Coordinates of all heavy atoms in Angstrom, one line a residue:
D12 N 2.6 0.2 15.0 CA 1.8 -0.5 15.9 C 0.4 0.1 15.8 O 0.2 1.4 15.9 CB 2.3 -0.3 17.4 CG 1.4 -1.0 18.4 OD1 1.4 -2.3 18.4 OD2 0.7 -0.3 19.1
I13 N -0.6 -0.7 15.7 CA -2.0 -0.3 15.6 C -2.8 -0.9 16.8 O -2.9 -2.2 16.8 CB -2.7 -0.6 14.3 CG1 -1.9 0.0 13.1 CG2 -4.1 -0.1 14.2 CD1 -2.4 -0.4 11.8
D14 N -3.3 -0.1 17.7 CA -3.9 -0.6 18.9 C -5.4 -0.2 18.9 O -5.7 1.0 18.8 CB -3.2 -0.1 20.1 CG -3.8 -0.6 21.4 OD1 -3.9 -1.8 21.6 OD2 -4.3 0.2 22.2
Y15 N -6.3 -1.1 19.1 CA -7.7 -0.8 19.3 C -8.1 -1.0 20.8 O -7.8 -2.0 21.4 CB -8.6 -1.8 18.5 CG -8.7 -1.6 17.0 CD1 -7.6 -1.9 16.2 CD2 -9.8 -0.9 16.5 CE1 -7.7 -1.7 14.8 CE2 -9.9 -0.7 15.1 CZ -8.8 -1.1 14.3 OH -8.9 -0.8 13.0
R16 N -8.8 0.0 21.4 CA -9.3 -0.1 22.7 C -10.8 0.2 22.7 O -11.2 1.2 22.1 CB -8.5 0.9 23.7 CG -7.0 0.6 23.8 CD -6.3 1.4 24.8 NE -4.9 1.2 24.8 CZ -4.1 1.8 25.6 NH1 -4.5 2.7 26.5 NH2 -2.8 1.6 25.6
L17 N -11.5 -0.6 23.5 CA -13.0 -0.4 23.5 C -13.4 0.2 24.9 O -12.9 -0.2 25.9 CB -13.7 -1.7 23.3 CG -13.3 -2.4 22.0 CD1 -14.1 -3.7 21.9 CD2 -13.5 -1.5 20.8
Y18 N -14.3 1.2 24.9 CA -14.7 1.8 26.1 C -16.2 1.9 26.2 O -16.9 2.1 25.2 CB -14.2 3.3 26.2 CG -12.7 3.4 26.3 CD1 -11.9 3.4 25.1 CD2 -12.0 3.5 27.5 CE1 -10.5 3.5 25.2 CE2 -10.7 3.6 27.6 CZ -9.9 3.6 26.4 OH -8.5 3.7 26.5
G19 N -16.7 1.8 27.4 CA -18.1 2.1 27.6 C -19.1 1.2 26.9 O -20.1 1.8 26.3
G20 N -19.0 -0.1 26.9 CA -20.0 -0.9 26.2 C -21.4 -0.7 26.8 O -21.6 -0.9 28.0
G21 N -22.3 -0.4 25.9 CA -23.7 -0.1 26.4 C -23.9 1.1 27.3 O -24.9 1.2 28.0
A22 N -22.9 2.0 27.2 CA -23.0 3.2 28.2 C -24.1 4.1 27.9 O -24.6 4.8 28.8 CB -21.7 3.9 28.1
V23 N -24.6 4.2 26.7 CA -25.7 5.1 26.4 C -27.1 4.5 26.5 O -28.0 5.0 27.1 CB -25.5 5.7 24.9 CG1 -26.6 6.6 24.6 CG2 -24.2 6.4 24.9
L24 N -27.3 3.3 25.8 CA -28.6 2.8 25.7 C -28.9 1.6 26.6 O -30.0 1.1 26.7 CB -28.9 2.4 24.3 CG -28.9 3.5 23.2 CD1 -29.1 2.9 21.8 CD2 -30.0 4.5 23.6
D25 N -27.8 1.1 27.3 CA -28.0 -0.1 28.1 C -29.1 0.1 29.2 O -29.1 1.1 29.9 CB -26.7 -0.4 28.9 CG -26.7 -1.7 29.5 OD1 -27.5 -2.6 29.1 OD2 -26.0 -2.0 30.5
G26 N -30.1 -0.8 29.2 CA -31.2 -0.7 30.2 C -32.3 0.1 29.7 O -33.4 0.1 30.3
T27 N -32.2 0.8 28.5 CA -33.3 1.6 28.0 C -33.9 1.1 26.7 O -35.0 1.5 26.4 CB -32.8 3.0 27.8 OG1 -31.8 3.0 26.7 CG2 -32.2 3.7 29.0
E28 N -33.2 0.2 26.1 CA -33.8 -0.4 24.8 C -34.9 -1.4 25.1 O -34.7 -2.3 25.9 CB -32.6 -1.0 24.0 CG -31.6 -0.1 23.6 CD -30.4 -0.8 22.9 OE1 -29.7 -1.5 23.6 OE2 -30.3 -0.7 21.6
P29 N -36.0 -1.2 24.4 CA -37.1 -2.2 24.6 C -36.7 -3.6 24.1 O -37.2 -4.6 24.6 CB -38.3 -1.6 23.9 CG -37.6 -0.7 22.8 CD -36.4 -0.2 23.5
D30 N -35.9 -3.6 23.1 CA -35.5 -4.9 22.5 C -34.0 -4.9 22.2 O -33.6 -4.6 21.1 CB -36.3 -5.2 21.1 CG -36.0 -6.5 20.5 OD1 -35.5 -7.4 21.3 OD2 -36.2 -6.7 19.4
P31 N -33.2 -5.1 23.2 CA -31.8 -4.9 23.1 C -31.1 -5.7 22.1 O -31.5 -6.9 21.8 CB -31.3 -5.3 24.5 CG -32.4 -5.2 25.4 CD -33.6 -5.6 24.6
L32 N -30.1 -5.1 21.4 CA -29.3 -5.9 20.4 C -28.0 -6.2 21.0 O -27.5 -5.4 21.9 CB -29.2 -5.0 19.2 CG -30.4 -4.6 18.4 CD1 -30.1 -3.7 17.3 CD2 -31.1 -5.9 17.9
Q33 N -27.4 -7.2 20.6 CA -26.0 -7.5 21.1 C -25.0 -7.6 19.9 O -25.4 -8.3 18.9 CB -26.0 -8.9 21.8 CG -26.8 -8.9 23.1 CD -26.1 -8.1 24.2 OE1 -24.9 -7.8 24.1 NE2 -26.8 -7.8 25.3
P34 N -23.9 -7.0 20.0 CA -23.4 -6.1 21.0 C -24.0 -4.7 20.9 O -24.4 -4.3 19.8 CB -21.9 -6.1 20.9 CG -21.8 -6.3 19.4 CD -22.9 -7.2 19.0
R35 N -24.1 -4.0 22.0 CA -24.5 -2.6 21.9 C -23.4 -1.7 21.6 O -22.3 -2.1 21.3 CB -25.2 -2.2 23.2 CG -26.6 -3.0 23.4 CD -27.3 -2.5 24.6 NE -26.7 -3.0 25.8 CZ -27.0 -4.2 26.4 NH1 -27.9 -5.0 25.8 NH2 -26.4 -4.6 27.5
E36 N -23.7 -0.4 21.7 CA -22.7 0.6 21.3 C -21.4 0.5 22.1 O -21.4 0.2 23.3 CB -23.3 2.0 21.4 CG -23.4 2.6 22.8 CD -24.6 2.1 23.5 OE1 -25.4 1.4 22.9 OE2 -24.8 2.4 24.7
L37 N -20.3 0.9 21.4 CA -19.0 1.0 22.1 C -18.2 2.2 21.7 O -18.5 2.7 20.6 CB -18.1 -0.3 21.6 CG -18.5 -1.6 22.2 CD1 -17.7 -2.7 21.4 CD2 -18.2 -1.7 23.6
G38 N -17.4 2.7 22.5 CA -16.4 3.7 22.2 C -15.2 3.1 21.7 O -14.7 2.1 22.3

Side-chain angles (χ1 to χ4, degrees):
D12 181 73
I13 303 174
D14 179 61
Y15 284 77
R16 298 185 184 182
L17 306 181
Y18 294 86
V23 177
L24 297 175
D25 190 24
T27 64
E28 295 175 287
D30 185 18
L32 299 174
Q33 293 288 344
R35 290 185 286 271
E36 75 280 356
L37 288 170

